Amino acid sequence: MAFFSCQHVGVGVALAVVLFSLLVGNGVLEVEASHHIYRHLQSSSLSTSQSSSSHHDPQPYRTRYHFQPPKNWMNDPNGPMIYKGLYHLFYQYNPKGLVWGNIVWAHSTSEDLVNWTPHEIAIYPSILSDINGCWSGSTTILKSGKPVILYTGINPQNQQVQNLAIPKNSSDPYLREWVKMPQNPLMAPTPANKINASSFRDPTTAWLLPDKKWRMIIGSKRDHTGMAILYTSEDFIHWVQAKQPLHSAEHTGMWECPDFYPVHLDSLLGADTSIIGPNIKHVLKASLDDTKHEYYTIGTYDHHKDIYTPNHGMVEGDLGLRYDYGKFYASKTFFDTAKKRRILWGWINESSSVADDMKKGWSGIQAIPRTILLDKSGKQLVKWPIKEIEMLRGKPIDLSGKLIKHGSVLEVPSITAAQADVEISFRLTKLKEVEKFDPTWTNPQLLCSRKGTTVKGGIGPFGLLTLASEGLEEYTAIFFRIFKAHGKYVVLMCSDQTRSSLNPTTDKTTYGTFVEVDPMHEQLSLRTLIDHSIVESFGAKGKNCITARVYPTIAIDDKAHLYAFNYGRETVEITKLSAWSMKKAHIN
């Protein structure tokens, strides 16, 4: 079967060895999820009417400034990096259909993380150790400054094993051709190591310590204990499994797409993956296969014992901290050496049915890349859209200094509401009507489901109605609600999809999170990126994020509206409201 690949099967073992000897000399990336299997659709072809280039079908749900391929299925972001001044993104892709299957590594590059140029498929099944699939993995920059890829392959026995690929020509900034090493697989399940052959995937970015050994982790599980299996290597070819995992947690199930990296305690800059020191904490993230949620902890890495310990009070599992409390999975970070920042990528899967995906001809997008830093409290991370996305902003619309009373809806005029960037901040004028918080309300998502947009409260719900129809038959609401508990205030942030679409087959899950902010002394801020079928929201300057995937039937293109609203009994003040129409990016 022919693939659009830059990798030549005829490249011999000797050439691969020579190339690697030239590369060896620091840095890495990630990963794969389990999916519903639709074998009859894995190689489906699109009709002309389904093509994204159809003249009569403008694809109202296709995003205009989010990363996605022209057609077919996409999931995990793989191996993001910067090399010779170009940003690279590889991703899991089905070149033959729009459901998961036939997985290869597709590849695009960018000068600004906004506009992207596609290249040939970078890695596709061609050797025994990946013949049934080239699943997720990571890139690492070696000491020589050259990149390599570690990825999970599926062998003829359907075992998950780890492989290495290197650039055929490392002087090519586009890295269009990759060669697989003859030693593959480098790591595999055996009777001796007792690794679960169906739960051993997604090698991370490697880090290099003063002992001149590389470390990296691979997601796995034993029974229902999720774990990050640690490997070390002196040459990036021969890897030795450590006696114990870097970290594990009971009752979390399979850890997909693990990520492990340092963050500064005293700097607004990102940290290189190999940095250690007294003013450094580490972050360990896992994507939970059982629930399709991610969580992370912040803690201490003992590099002498190769053990990671989360800070006291960190919650492991589904109720732990998340990058994003909505649709956001299989995420991966990389260190941008050019701008000294750490950037987060994440896959946004669909809320539409497979039948509707067939009609539109594609499935899956990537979230807007986000910078990631440790909050000044040291208790959580702060995520914010990369600065470069602001180059797409048009003329600003300002509606600051408005009071919105009980039951008020205020339209934001003169913008393309289906393709916009909006920043809004609220000040609470009073806190007399605050609702009492029940201490049994430990799950914010369930609380948002019970107290949705139409459930009027004391203070809140107030926020934004996005992708709204003129008559409010459809809208996706992002809002805050305030409670009082034991002498302190509790701030709930919700993304309510229950009225996002009149299509009965669309998933309309509501998402929620508690926000660590004091409404007595701080304003409540919200930034929302709207792009036709996606609503990415950043609360409290990026402390909490919620991404929604929505498919309205009325509120599309120029029939979409944007409103600020307040359905609580207490009046709130809009201290700032700035909104921009967003231009279209050049993507693939």
Side-chain angles (χ1 to χ4, degrees), residues 71-75 98 347 350 357 360-365:
K71 62 181 182 179
N72 293 346
W73 169 276
M74 173 179 65
N75 56 294
L98 41 81
W347 168 48
E350 295 297 333
D357 291 344
K360 64 186 194 307
W362 49 269
S363 177
I365 64 173

Side-chain angles (χ1 to χ4, degrees), residues 243-313:
K243 294 181 179 180
Q244 55 191 354
L246 177 75
H247 186 62
S248 62
E250 295 180 346
H251 312 300
T252 55
M254 173 62 193
W255 285 7
E256 298 188 301
C257 317
D259 204 3
F260 186 64
Y261 56 89
V263 288
H264 288 291
L265 287 171
D266 55 357
S267 173
L268 295 179
L269 298 176
D272 180 87
T273 309
S274 295
I275 283 181
I276 54 175
N279 292 317
I280 291 291
K281 283 288 186 177
H282 274 76
V283 175
L284 177 61
K285 186 275 303 185
S287 302
L288 302 179
D289 189 28
D290 288 355
T291 64
K292 295 300 180 286
H293 294 153
E294 300 191 318
Y295 85 97
Y296 71 86
T297 58
I298 301 165
T300 301
Y301 171 46
D302 184 336
H303 66 278
H304 298 292
K305 298 180 179 179
D306 275 325
I307 292 294
Y308 167 79
T309 305
N311 289 348
H312 178 72

Side-chain angles (χ1 to χ4, degrees), residues 215-261:
R215 271 93 168 156
M216 64 91 185
I217 55 175
I218 299 171
S220 189
K221 70 174 181 178
R222 182 170 296 133
D223 297 324
H224 201 56
T225 296
M227 64 183 62
I229 299 177
L230 179 71
Y231 280 84
T232 65
S233 176
E234 294 182 357
D235 60 5
F236 227 87
I237 290 287
H238 303 91
W239 291 87
V240 178
Q241 182 183 350
K243 294 181 179 180
Q244 55 191 354
L246 177 75
H247 186 62
S248 62
E250 295 180 346
H251 312 300
T252 55
M254 173 62 193
W255 285 7
E256 298 188 301
C257 317
D259 204 3
F260 186 64
Y261 56 89

Side-chain angles (χ1 to χ4, degrees), residues 262-264 267-272 275 335-336 339-342 372-373:
V263 288
H264 288 291
S267 173
L268 295 179
L269 298 176
D272 180 87
I275 283 181
F335 180 62
D336 179 359
K339 297 190 175 181
K340 308 301 180 187
R341 57 184 176 174
R342 183 161 290 273
I372 194 164
L373 291 168

Side-chain angles (χ1 to χ4, degrees), residues 428-439 441 447 458-460 462 480-493 513-524 543 570:
L428 304 180
T429 57
K430 299 178 183 178
L431 287 169
K432 292 181 180 179
E433 297 282 349
V434 65
E435 299 171 76
K436 185 178 180 181
F437 185 78
D438 187 329
W441 293 342
L447 185 56
I459 304 177
F462 59 88
F480 296 108
R481 188 187 289 263
I482 315 299
F483 301 91
K484 184 70 176 293
H486 305 300
K488 73 170 187 175
Y489 294 99
V490 176
V491 178
L492 179 69
M493 176 181 169
T513 174
F514 294 122
V515 184
E516 286 292 327
V517 61
D518 181 1
M520 277 283 290
H521 303 99
E522 301 175 68
Q523 296 185 27
L524 292 175
K543 286 185 177 181
E570 200 73 77

Side-chain angles (χ1 to χ4, degrees), residues 65 420-424 464 466 478 493 526-530 534-538 562:
Y65 59 93
D421 183 0
V422 56
E423 296 186 15
I424 188 168
L464 295 172
T466 67
I478 306 96
M493 176 181 169
L526 180 66
R527 181 179 180 186
T528 298
L529 297 171
I530 306 159
I534 185 169
V535 180
E536 291 188 73
S537 298
F538 302 80
L562 174 65

Side-chain angles (χ1 to χ4, degrees), residues 310-385:
N311 289 348
H312 178 72
M314 286 282 159
V315 176
E316 304 258 21
D318 221 37
L319 291 179
L321 294 169
R322 299 186 200 172
Y323 292 149
D324 192 300
Y325 292 81
K327 281 188 175 291
F328 192 89
Y329 195 73
S331 63
K332 178 60 195 175
T333 68
F334 76 100
F335 180 62
D336 179 359
T337 54
K339 297 190 175 181
K340 308 301 180 187
R341 57 184 176 174
R342 183 161 290 273
I343 294 176
L344 169 69
W345 283 94
W347 168 48
I348 314 300
N349 64 355
E350 295 297 333
S351 62
S352 53
S353 66
V354 173
D356 284 341
D357 291 344
M358 292 290 292
K359 293 175 184 177
K360 64 186 194 307
W362 49 269
S363 177
I365 64 173
Q366 301 296 331
I368 293 298
R370 306 170 183 181
T371 55
I372 194 164
L373 291 168
L374 184 65
D375 182 61
K376 60 184 179 181
S377 69
K379 296 180 180 179
Q380 66 179 110
L381 298 171
V382 175
K383 295 78 57 185
W384 197 249

